[in-house]
Amino acid sequence: MDMHRYAVLIRKPERERLMGLSHAAKFKYLTDYTTDVRNQLLDWLNGRHLHAQVESVDPVTAFNTLFFTATPEVKQALVEHPAVVKIAEDYAMPVDLMWQNK
């Protein structure tokens, strides 16, 4: 299968939900929110029989961004989900640091 890595930007929660929360409570709320959306997207893809075209979904490490390794068909399907704002191909580039002795 033709797999690509995608950065999936999801909708942010309503600002009002975060008002008055401590830093720790905001962190927990945003982590839980992003995890819930991640699970909703996986269930949604499963319901469309696309789960076999998802190689991996990274654990939640960034708020409002999820990283999928999946087929282009999955990317096209995710664009239709109401929680998805934007999808970009993730172009992570390995860098070799070279040491030169002069």
Side-chain angles (χ1 to χ4, degrees):
M1 260 186 240
D2 182 26
M3 295 288 177
H4 297 265
R5 186 165 161 84
Y6 300 106
V8 180
L9 182 66
I10 61 171
R11 292 198 188 287
K12 294 179 182 180
E14 297 297 322
R15 181 174 285 176
E16 293 78 25
R17 305 280 293 167
L18 302 173
M19 294 179 104
L21 296 179
S22 68
H23 180 72
K26 282 181 189 176
F27 183 86
K28 181 175 179 357
Y29 180 84
L30 290 170
T31 300
D32 291 347
Y33 173 84
T34 305
T35 300
D36 288 346
V37 173
R38 178 186 185 273
N39 293 337
Q40 290 170 21
L41 291 174
L42 290 172
D43 289 345
W44 190 80
L45 290 169
N46 189 38
R48 283 156 182 72
H49 308 289
L50 291 169
H51 57 281
Q53 294 185 48
V54 177
E55 183 175 287
S56 67
V57 183
D58 290 3
V60 172
T61 57
F63 304 129
N64 306 325
T65 305
L66 298 168
F67 295 94
F68 279 72
T69 301
T71 64
E73 290 80 11
V74 169
K75 176 189 175 194
Q76 284 305 116
L78 285 172
V79 169
E80 298 173 18
H81 193 280
V84 174
V85 174
K86 181 179 175 181
I87 301 176
E89 191 123 11
D90 182 21
Y91 295 103
M93 295 191 343
V95 176
D96 290 328
L97 299 177
M98 296 174 38
W99 179 265
Q100 284 186 323
N101 243 348
K102 292 184 181 185

